[in-house]
Amino acid sequence: MTNTPSNDQTLDTSAEQVTLMDQLKQVELFNGRAAMLGIVIGIVVEGLTGVGIAHQIGLGALVDGYAACRTQFLPFCF
């Protein structure tokens, strides 16, 4: 007696893999769309308020260079 899976088990496993791949495609599609929407919203807010995206999410001090030089996050200063 061999330990090879029967045809039913092989078909079941391949059907599960197809289902998982379809779910992964849907999740990645949603993730990409959410990221694009976030960037567009950030750009619109930047256009309306003049505050950059980095400042909107709290990383403005690093972009400005002051905090980067003061806390030595970067090997150079602006």
Side-chain angles (χ1 to χ4, degrees):
M1 184 178 249
T2 61
N3 288 336
T4 59
S6 68
N7 286 339
D8 293 338
Q9 289 176 343
T10 304
L11 291 176
D12 189 38
T13 302
S14 102
E16 289 174 3
Q17 288 176 349
V18 168
T19 302
L20 289 175
M21 289 302 293
D22 286 341
Q23 289 176 349
L24 181 63
K25 286 178 185 178
Q26 290 176 352
V27 168
E28 288 296 327
L29 186 63
F30 178 79
N31 189 22
R33 288 177 178 169
M36 288 185 282
L37 183 63
I39 291 295
V40 168
I41 290 171
I43 291 171
V44 168
V45 169
E46 181 176 354
L48 294 174
T49 65
V51 177
I53 293 175
H55 287 274
Q56 293 173 24
I57 61 173
L59 298 176
L62 291 175
V63 174
D64 293 339
Y66 174 72
C69 290
R70 187 167 176 201
T71 59
Q72 298 178 2
F73 285 138
L74 299 175
F76 55 87
C77 293
F78 297 99

